[in-house]
Structures are given as C-alpha cells and as structure tokens.
C-alpha cells in the first residue's frame, strides 16, 4: 500500500496517463471466503489473519506490465454478505473481469457459486470474464470441496479455474495475470472498434 | 475493511482520566475526578435529570434533601435554571457528553442515554430467554465466522512501530480475544501470547479491570444471536458486530444487547435491514449537507462521481468504530448516545471538510483513486480527539436540517426508484427523544451501580461499613457549599475520596440505591475466578 498512499504516486498517476489500459476487476463470493486477504496478498504482498469483515465496498489499484502493455488494474473488494448486494451490484457495471471466490473448506460458499454467477450475468456486461477461485487451499486438512468438483463447476459455467491460497501465496498472482490475459484476448477479439470501456481514459464513465 | 480501517482501541480506553490528562487533553486530574463524581451523581438521579416537565424540578430540588447528595454545582445550576430558565437539564447532559463521559461510568451512561436500561427493565428475562434459544442456523453460521473479525487490531499495532502496550491493553478490554476463545480464533498465537503476558501489567492500580476474564467472542455471539431471535425479520447484518463489540467492552452481554436494540431501532433504524436502503438514503443526505458545509469538497466529489456509499458505508454503519482512533471513537459515541445520528453526520462532514475542503488539499487528489485513498487513510490530525470533538460540536448541522434533507432525498428516491421496500420506524434524535417516545409512565430506573472492589480490598457490604466515607464526603462538601464556589477543585484529600467513589465503590450507592443488595463477597470472588461471561447482576460501572 506504500506506493498508493504516497502522494507522489498520486501525482504521477493523475498527471500522466501512465498506462495503456485500465481494467476494472471485482472480487465476489460469500462472506469470509478470503476476498480481502486475496486482494491484499496481490496488491501489497501481505497476509494477516486479522482482517475485519468488509462493510460495503473498497478498492485497490495496481499497475502491471503484461504483453508489453502497462495495465492499470482497479480491483474492487466487496462485502460478501447477501445484504450488501444492493450496494455492491451497482459496481458490477463496467467490470471487465470477475474473480468469483469460494472457500474450499466451506461447502456453502461453493454452493453459492451458481448464484454469484447469475448475479454477474444480471448486473454486468456480456463480455465480462470470470475466473472461479477456490481459496484457502493451504487448509488441506479441512477441505470439503475437492479440486475436481471445483473444476467441473467451472467447466459447467464456462469459467477458468484456480485453487489458491492468499495465506501461503499460492496462485494469487497467477490468478490475476490469467484474468488479465483472458480480458486482453477477449479485447483483441472484439476490438478494432476501440471499445471506450477498455481505454485508459481518466474520466472513464464506466468507472462507477 | 482494510488494515488501515481497523480501529486501534488504544490504551486510552482503559487508562481512565490519569492517562488522558497526561497525554491528550491536559485536563487537570482534579477536574476529571470532579467530572466523574458529577456523572455518578447524575446517573444515580437519572430520572430527575431527564424529567420531561421542567416545572416539577423545583419540587425535586426540595425533595432532594441531604440524602440525595446533589452536587453543589448542579444544585446551583438547578436554581439558575428554575429562576432564570437559562439552562435546561438536557442541555447540561449534552454538555457533559460533549466533554466526554468518564471511562469508569461510560457503560452505565450509554445504557441510560440510549434507553437500553429502560428496555432491560421492561423486559426482564427476555435476553436470557433469547440466549437459551437455539437460533436460526442461517444466521449463526455467518455470525460465527465474524466473531474474530471485528477488531483484529493487534497485528496492526505491533507491526506499525511496536506499540505493544496498546496492543495488550486493547486485548485486555477487547472481547474478541479472550484467552478461553483462542481455539475459536484463527489469530496468530504469537500475538495473543504477547497480549496475555501484558494483561496484568497495564493498570495495576485498577485491579478490578485485570481479573475480568472469559467474556468476549462468546458474548459477542450471544448478543448477535439474541438479536436475530429478537428481530427474526431483520436477522444479522455484518456491521452490527463491531457495534456490539464496542458495547461489550463497556457492559455485560444483556445490557449490550438492549443497547444494540436501541441503536438498531431508535438511533439508526433500517441501517442493518435487508436492502440497506436507510444507509443509501443517508449517503445522499450526507452528500447534500456537504454542499453547505464544504462546497469545495462537495464539488470535488461530484466532479469525480464518487458515490457517497464508497466512503460513508463503513463510517456510518459502524458509527466510526473502525475509522477513528479509539479515544475519538469513545468521545463520538458519548455524543452520539446523547444527541443521536446528527453526531454521525457531523463527524462525516468534518472529516470530508478537512480531508478535501481546500484547493490545496485537492492537489494530491486528482484522480478518483487518490481521493478515495485520502478518505480511507485520513490524516491523524483531523481524527484527533480534541480537534474532532470541537469541530463536531461547532458544526451547525441540526436535526431539523437532517430531517428536511431526509424528506427531500426520500422524495427523490421514490421518484427514481419507487417506494422503499423496508419501512423503518422514524429515527429518534438522541436520549431525550427516545425517552419522550416511551409510551406511558414507566417505573423509575433502578440503578445498580455497585462498582466492585478487588477481592483483597475491604468490601463495603454493610451499611455500617459504607457510612464512614459517605459522611466524610458529606462533610467535605459542606464547606464548599457554604463558600459558594462549587466549581473549585477539591483538595487532594477530597479528590481521593471522590475517586474512590468513582473507581471503586461509590459509598452512597450501596445502602440506598441498590434495589437488590447482594452478597458482594461471594459474588465477587465468584466472578474474579470465573471464566464465564458476566451477568447483568454485576456492576454496571467500570466495565472495562
């Protein structure tokens, strides 16, 4: 987070268009599957078991280099409790990618994946790319959702699939990079027309 | 949310006036002790202080008599008021809440202000009944998974410059990490170990604080579960947990439950309900009020199209418990319980104004991300207790303005989004409004303020034992009364007596006020060695 809180960073960000693309990504899934931890691991490379439950919605920004492009990721972390959906689904609009997360030690969170997928279809645009992520794969002893079931569900829904651990830093970076690649692929497929939603304009109306 | 959003329940929460005086406020110790005794008196005569019909007050004064121990200063205030009609009592209470409720009496004051105490008396045994019920599994699971996620401050403290003492003292007051719940918490044992080793080393002169073991996550679970049973149609909302956790730091589970009920139903109705419409509406109200308070900040936020929900959801739903430094949280809650949601709005407005209120400040906030980042990691200066409270007190945003804006935004909502799906009861603006809304006459409050002495100390179990200090105090008050200088600081000797009353066992309470005198000795030793949760039969005060 050091770079983001640094005012120089902000100046730099705002003075020049220091990226080629800006992707808006949302992390969704049931409460306490580890969304915030996953984001913190990726953006700050830190993990603490001491996160508070997310109230509302939050986001972090990370700029990466991928395929010779500077890509600014705006990653939104959402409260998982169903009650917050009225607030969080408003932010689905304009998202280019979703990380749909469940907890491999929690059956219910896995059962809710289908429902979350429906939420994405309802509130976001058709081209949004989704990755299914089974988090907490470090807790093998408590696993209740097998990798196989995860993969099957992902296939069924047409998503790519990862098992990951924010705690042990397994597949976190890979998940985001794969999502970025998938978005880039989709973009080049449907591009030429220069979709304004994926250009890096600062006052991008799809931001909110 | 993030680490930075977590509240640091600092040592100040438990330190009491002594530390406060040295570190923050520079309020002389004598003044703090005086405040404490004034609060004690006010709480012991709460009904009179809150009496609706001011005309009756002179009679109360007559009735008060020597046994009531009216504080000299307040007796004078009362006379000024009855003759000059200058200062109604609720004004005095408000003023005292703005100055900060003495830590030793905070829990009781919050219960009295919120009407939680009244609710408890109206519903004896209700909490126990709810507590015994199994509860709806769909909520229990969610609650269970939130228990350890309320104030995971410890790592934050240790890693940011090693304020180990703060860490330990918060855990000491903090319900989320009691030793018996270690197995339920995924927290790193190395921190808990550090905390545990410091628990007894913080306030050795407050023995009663040290030996309270065993409540915590379990109580948090009980309170939240009870609420889902009390209002099954509402269920559990995640933002209720930090609210309940803060309450539990100040009072036993049953009391905390009724205070939570009051917050959810009177102070912030609809905030935690399905659809979260009330919080969205308040976001719009806040933003609209900002236009008057800080046009610069308002313009900036609207130009960047930043939805108020992005920054105010956690602020408002958690009543800033996760945003502000701990000492500021407590001061804000003191005022909030007294004056209602207005305080929450004002705090939000003050923070926005000072974070984004000048072109200079906006230089580093050119993008949306930078702006939100600014609001998420607010400058400690603007959150500092004394500064923030002063700003909040002075900000001219009234209940009427909020209500007017509420109507405007509600109409707008209905035009664009249709009728509200959850009909919440109207919100009540503070202690006075809540009291006045209570239907019909109610029995007088029964204070049970018996602050316990540590087991080794002599216990004032009998009237005979309690009398000597009472007489001493009475005698000491007399000369000042005669001198007509009620606000004069007490002499060290007098101050010591008053402190003893506030911190340990107020002698005047024991003989007359306690409705059901209990065997203090047995109960005390029981709870000092018990690892079980506190019960409501125990002390209302100094619940830290």
């Amino acid at each position: 987070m050091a770079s983001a809180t640094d005012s120089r960073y902000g100046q730099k960000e705002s003075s020049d268009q220091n990226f080629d693309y800006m992707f808006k990504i949302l992390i969704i899934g049931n409460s306490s599957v580890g969304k915030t931890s996953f984001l913190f691991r990726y953006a700050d490379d830190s993990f603490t078991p001491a996160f508070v439950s997310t109230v509302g919605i939050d986001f972090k920004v990370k700029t990466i280099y991928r395929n010779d492009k500077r890509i600014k990721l705006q990653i939104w972390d959402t409260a998982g409790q169903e009650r917050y959906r009225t607030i969080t689904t408003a932010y689905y609009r304009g998202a280019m990618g979703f990380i749909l997360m469940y907890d491999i030690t929690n059956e219910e969170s896995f059962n809710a994946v289908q429902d979350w997928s429906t939420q994405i279809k309802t509130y976001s645009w058709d081209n949004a790319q989704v990755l299914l992520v089974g988090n907490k794969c470090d807790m093998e002893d408590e696993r209740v959702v097998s990798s196989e079931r995860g993969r099957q569900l992902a296939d069924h829904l047409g998503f790519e699939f990862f098992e990951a651990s924010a705690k042990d830093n397994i597949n976190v970076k890979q998940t985001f990079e794969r999502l970025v690649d998938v978005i880039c692929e989709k973009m080049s497929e449907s591009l030429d027309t220069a979709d304004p939603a994926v250009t890096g304009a600062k006052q991008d109306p799809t931001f909110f | 949310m993030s680490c930075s959003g977590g509240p640091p329940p600092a040592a100040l929460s438990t330190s009491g006036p002594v530390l406060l005086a040295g570190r923050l406020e520079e309020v002389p110790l004598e003044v703090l002790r005086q405040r404490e005794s004034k609060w004690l008196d006010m709480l012991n005569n709460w009904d009179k202080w809150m009496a609706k019909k001011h005309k009756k007050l002179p009679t109360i004064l007559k009735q008060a008599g020597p046994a009531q121990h009216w504080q000299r200063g307040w007796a004078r205030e009362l006379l000024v008021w009855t003759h000059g009609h200058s200062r109604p009592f609720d004004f005095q209470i408000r003023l005292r809440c703005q100055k900060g409720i003495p830590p030793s009496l905070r829990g009781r004051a919050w219960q009295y202000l919120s009407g939680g105490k009244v609710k408890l008396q109206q519903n004896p045994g209700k909490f126990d009944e709810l507590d015994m019920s199994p509860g709806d599994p769909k909520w229990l699971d969610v609650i269970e998974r939130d228990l350890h996620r309320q104030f995971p401050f410890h790592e934050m403290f240790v890693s940011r410059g090693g304020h180990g003492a703060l860490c330990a003292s918060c855990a000491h007051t903090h319900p989320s990490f009691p030793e018996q719940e270690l197995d339920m918490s995924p927290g790193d044992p190395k921190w808990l170990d550090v905390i545990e080793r410091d628990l007894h080393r913080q306030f050795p002169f407050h023995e009663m604080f040290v030996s309270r073991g065993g409540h915590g996550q379990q109580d948090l679970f009980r309170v939240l579960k009870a609420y889902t049973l009390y209002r099954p149609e509402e269920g559990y909302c995640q933002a209720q947990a930090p609210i309940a956790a803060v309450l539990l730091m100040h009072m036993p589970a049953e009391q905390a439950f009724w205070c939570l009920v009051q917050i959810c139903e009177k102070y912030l109705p609809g905030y935690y309900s399905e659809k979260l419409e009330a919080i969205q509406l308040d976001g719009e109200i806040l933003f609209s009020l900002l236009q008057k308070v800080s046009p610069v900040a308002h313009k900036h936020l609207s130009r960047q199209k930043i939805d108020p929900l992005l920054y105010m959801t956690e602020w408002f739903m958690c009543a800033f418990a996760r945003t502000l430094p701990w000492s500021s949280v407590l001061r804000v809650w003191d005022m909030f319980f007294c004056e209602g949601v207005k305080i929450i709005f004002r705090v939000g407005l003050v923070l926005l104004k000072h974070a984004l209120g000048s072109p200079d400040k906006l230089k580093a906030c050119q993008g949306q991300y930078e702006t939100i980042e600014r609001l998420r990691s607010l400058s400690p200066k603007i959150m500092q207790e004394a500064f923030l409270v002063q700003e909040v007190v002075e900000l001219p945003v009234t209940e009427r303005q909020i209500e007017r804006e509420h109507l405007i935004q509600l109409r707008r909502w209905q035009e664009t989004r249709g009728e509200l799906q959850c009909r919440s009861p109207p919100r009540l603006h503070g202690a006075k409004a809540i009291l006045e809304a209570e239907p019909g006459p109610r029995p007088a409050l029964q204070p049970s303020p018996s602050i316990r002495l540590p087991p080794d100390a002599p216990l004032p179990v009998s009237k005979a034992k309690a009398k000597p200090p009472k007489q001493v105090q009475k005698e000491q008050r007399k000369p000042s009364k005669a001198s007509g200088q009620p606000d004069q600081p007490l002499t060290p000797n007098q101050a010591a007596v008053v402190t003893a009353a506030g911190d340990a066992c107020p002698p005047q309470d024991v003989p007359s006020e306690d409705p059901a005198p209990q065997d203090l000795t047995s109960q005390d030793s029981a709870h000092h060695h018990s690892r079980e949760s506190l019960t409501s039969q125990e002390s209302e005060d100094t619940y830290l």
Side-chain angles (χ1 to χ4, degrees):
Chain A
M1 211 60 228
S3 62
T5 47
D6 185 341
S7 62
R8 280 179 295 121
Y9 174 90
Q11 297 254 310
K12 194 173 145 206
E13 279 297 301
S14 47
S15 54
D16 37 275
Q17 300 292 314
N18 195 24
F19 48 86
D20 300 302
Y21 299 117
M22 181 162 74
F23 293 166
K24 176 177 168 183
I25 292 169
L26 260 78
I27 309 178
I28 59 170
N30 269 17
S31 177
S32 77
V33 297
K35 299 180 288 297
T36 305
S37 295
F38 200 78
L39 176 54
F40 268 73
R41 170 60 81 190
Y42 182 60
D44 300 347
D45 196 23
S46 67
F47 178 83
T48 164
F51 277 120
V52 298
S53 51
T54 305
V55 168
I57 191 153
D58 197 6
F59 78 92
K60 279 181 173 289
V61 165
K62 188 175 168 97
T63 305
I64 61 165
Y65 298 87
R66 200 76 186 150
N67 312 321
D68 300 324
K69 300 284 187 208
R70 287 176 175 189
I71 301 172
K72 185 171 169 181
L73 300 179
Q74 191 184 81
I75 310 161
W76 294 73
D77 179 26
T78 57
Q81 197 187 10
E82 189 166 353
R83 190 152 302 192
Y84 290 94
R85 283 192 194 173
T86 43
I87 290 176
T88 54
T89 49
Y91 293 86
Y92 284 28
R93 197 158 42 90
M96 330 222 21
F98 287 83
I99 290 174
L100 201 178
M101 188 173 290
Y102 67 90
D103 170 0
I104 64 151
T105 70
N106 184 301
E107 180 76 34
E108 201 190 325
S109 72
F110 182 70
N111 294 338
V113 166
Q114 178 73 57
D115 189 34
W116 284 108
S117 162
T118 311
Q119 295 277 318
I120 294 172
K121 289 198 171 65
T122 312
Y123 294 101
S124 82
W125 67 332
D126 296 340
N127 281 338
Q129 300 301 302
V130 187
L131 252 61
L132 182 65
V133 173
N135 193 27
K136 308 194 189 178
C137 72
D138 56 287
M139 297 165 76
E140 198 55 54
D141 293 348
E142 293 168 53
R143 177 193 283 276
V144 293
V145 183
S146 69
S147 302
E148 196 43 43
R149 287 173 67 203
R151 188 163 293 111
Q152 277 174 4
L153 182 60
D155 287 347
H156 172 72
L157 294 168
F159 306 154
E160 293 203 25
F161 176 66
F162 282 91
E163 281 200 346
S165 164
K167 189 180 174 201
D168 288 357
N169 200 6
I170 300 167
N171 273 345
V172 177
K173 194 163 169 241
Q174 289 84 341
T175 299
F176 280 99
E177 287 178 351
R178 182 61 199 146
L179 183 58
V180 167
D181 288 349
V182 174
I183 293 170
C184 285
E185 284 165 22
K186 191 77 191 172
M187 205 167 65
S188 53
E189 268 176 37
S190 64
L191 211 57
D192 289 337
T193 48
D195 191 329
V198 294
T199 60
K202 197 71 192 170
Q203 276 77 31
D204 185 349
T206 63
F207 188 95
F208 290 103
Chain B
M1 253 179 221
S2 64
C3 245
S4 59
L12 297 165
S13 65
T14 53
S15 64
V18 184
L19 247 172
L20 275 179
R23 283 235 210 113
L24 265 179
E25 278 198 311
E26 304 295 336
V27 178
L29 182 59
E30 284 73 22
V31 174
L32 290 167
R33 283 175 171 165
Q34 241 183 345
R35 278 187 197 166
E36 199 164 47
S37 72
K38 283 175 182 176
W39 266 98
L40 200 54
D41 176 75
M42 190 161 72
L43 292 171
N44 289 341
N45 299 285
W46 188 253
D47 288 323
K48 288 156 197 162
W49 278 85
M50 292 295 283
K52 274 188 276 188
K53 290 170 186 154
H54 299 303
K55 277 177 192 169
K56 282 191 176 168
L57 285 174
T59 339
I60 292 166
L61 183 62
K62 277 177 217 154
Q63 286 169 346
Q68 296 291 331
H69 290 294
W70 285 91
Q71 280 285 310
R72 303 171 309 279
W74 301 108
R76 188 189 61 169
E77 288 293 346
L78 183 58
L79 288 170
V80 168
W81 184 84
T82 39
H83 294 293
H85 289 267
S86 61
R87 305 181 110 183
F89 269 12
D90 56 324
F91 173 84
Q92 285 301 339
I93 295 172
R94 193 164 74 228
L95 205 65
R96 287 179 178 184
C97 289
Q98 289 170 356
K99 286 178 180 174
I101 300 170
S104 61
L105 300 168
R106 186 166 264 136
R108 181 144 69 116
W110 286 0
Q111 291 170 50
Y112 282 35
L113 288 163
S114 69
K117 174 80 177 169
V118 176
K119 279 274 182 203
L120 172 64
Q121 279 183 202
Q122 288 170 342
N123 300 278
K126 180 73 182 172
F127 177 75
D128 290 337
E129 179 197 318
L130 298 168
D131 197 22
M132 304 301 257
S133 309
D136 186 334
K138 83 172 166 186
W139 299 123
L140 301 190
D141 186 46
V142 191
I143 294 172
E144 192 95 47
R145 274 183 278 123
D146 275 350
L147 294 181
H148 65 279
R149 298 203 292 167
Q150 294 321 308
F151 292 96
F153 42 83
H154 50 329
E155 174 162 296
M156 193 190 328
F157 270 108
V158 177
S159 57
R160 285 190 189 173
H163 295 272
L166 294 189
C167 168
S169 70
C170 353
H172 158 81
T173 58
H174 201 288
S176 295
F177 295 91
E179 55 269 48
Q180 73 171 153
E181 304 295 346
L182 280 179
D183 55 335
M184 285 179 66
S185 164
D188 190 332
K190 82 177 164 188
W191 301 128
L192 299 169
D193 189 43
V194 173
I195 294 165
E196 273 202 356
R197 273 186 279 118
D198 276 346
L199 289 185
H200 62 287
R201 298 194 289 176
Q202 298 315 304
F203 307 101
F205 44 88
H206 276 175
E207 280 119 317
M208 70 189 77
F209 297 163
V210 181
S211 49
R212 300 238 185 233
H215 64 108
Q217 289 187 28
Q218 203 57 41
D219 280 352
L220 188 55
F221 182 80
R222 293 169 62 206
V223 169
L224 295 172
K225 187 195 84 176
Y227 191 82
T228 66
L229 290 161
Y230 184 70
R231 291 280 178 250
E233 71 283 3
E234 300 257 312
Y236 165 66
C237 174
Q238 281 184 322
Q240 285 173 314
I243 299 278
V246 174
L247 292 171
L248 279 169
M249 289 177 214
H250 293 88
M251 59 192 82
E254 184 175 23
Q255 279 80 352
F257 168 73
W258 289 110
C259 283
L260 178 69
V261 167
Q262 292 298 89
I263 289 174
C264 298
E265 297 185 351
K266 305 283 167 52
Y267 287 88
L268 307 172
Y271 265 34
Y272 310 104
S273 308
E274 194 62 42
K275 308 289 178 204
L276 302 178
E277 290 167 324
I279 193 77
Q280 297 180 62
L281 211 50
D282 274 4
E284 298 302 325
I285 296 169
L286 176 75
F287 193 55
S288 180
L289 292 171
L290 182 65
Q291 193 160 23
K292 289 147 203 148
V293 172
S294 176
V296 176
H298 182 270
K299 194 176 163 192
H300 182 74
L301 288 168
S302 36
R303 189 176 286 170
Q304 298 198 335
K305 298 196 181 75
I306 295 177
D307 188 338
L309 286 173
L310 267 181
Y311 49 86
M312 59 78 70
T313 307
E314 191 178 54
W315 287 1
F316 277 48
M317 289 185 87
C318 304
F320 294 99
R322 287 184 177 178
T323 310
L324 300 172
W326 190 241
S327 55
S328 302
V329 171
L330 297 177
R331 294 288 300 274
V332 165
W333 280 45
D334 288 348
M335 295 187 287
F336 169 61
F337 275 118
C338 183
E339 300 180 60
V341 78
K342 167 175 78 186
I343 297 299
I344 303 296
F345 276 99
R346 286 190 189 176
V347 173
L349 291 165
V350 166
L351 295 180
L352 288 168
K353 177 181 154 189
H354 287 281
L356 306 170
S358 73
D360 193 42
K361 286 168 184 152
L362 295 179
K363 271 183 195 157
C365 302
Q366 295 296 303
Q368 289 153 325
Y369 178 70
E370 291 75 18
T371 302
I372 291 170
E373 191 54 37
R374 166 69 58 89
L375 293 176
R376 265 191 328 195
S377 35
L378 291 159
S379 150
K381 245 188 342 200
I382 66 174
M383 298 192 288
Q384 193 271 333
E385 182 185 347
F387 174 82
L388 182 68
V389 170
Q390 185 69 21
E391 288 285 307
V392 166
V393 167
E394 286 173 1
L395 193 72
V397 170
T398 62
E399 291 156 24
R400 190 179 292 185
Q401 275 173 291
I402 291 170
E403 285 306 322
R404 197 191 304 137
E405 203 53 56
H406 184 95
L407 288 178
I408 294 169
Q409 296 303 334
L410 188 61
R411 210 172 301 134
R412 195 164 295 169
W413 179 292
Q414 286 161 342
E415 281 164 11
T416 56
R417 307 167 70 162
E419 285 299 317
L420 292 178
Q421 296 185 44
C422 292
R423 282 245 159 246
S424 309
R427 78 175 134 211
L428 299 176
H429 291 274
K432 191 87 177 160
I434 289 169
L435 183 79
E436 283 167 1
E438 275 297 321
R442 57 171 180 80
L445 284 185
Q446 302 153 6
S448 44
S450 44
I451 301 175
R452 303 288 192 260
L453 287 170
D456 299 335
L459 289 167
V461 277
S462 70
K463 281 188 181 184
K465 273 185 187 170
K467 250 181 180 171
K470 183 178 164 187
Q471 281 169 343
V472 169
Q473 209 173 0
K474 197 159 63 178
E475 279 160 20
Q476 279 166 339
R477 278 174 184 168
K478 268 179 190 164
S480 310
K481 203 177 216 166
S483 77
Q485 288 178 295
D487 291 332
Q488 203 177 45
L490 301 173
T491 66
N493 191 21
Q494 287 170 315
V497 173
V498 174
T499 308
D503 280 351
C505 184
Q508 65 266 44
D509 294 328
V510 177
S512 54
E513 302 282 349
D514 203 331
Q518 299 133 2
D519 183 353
L520 298 184
T521 322
S522 65
Q523 202 192 29
D524 231 48
S525 58
H527 86 248
H528 273 291
H529 300 291
S530 165
R531 296 169 73 89
E532 286 171 15
S533 300
L534 295 166
T535 70
S536 46
Q537 269 88 57
E538 290 175 48
S539 165
E540 283 185 311
D541 300 329
T542 331
Y543 189 91
L544 290 169

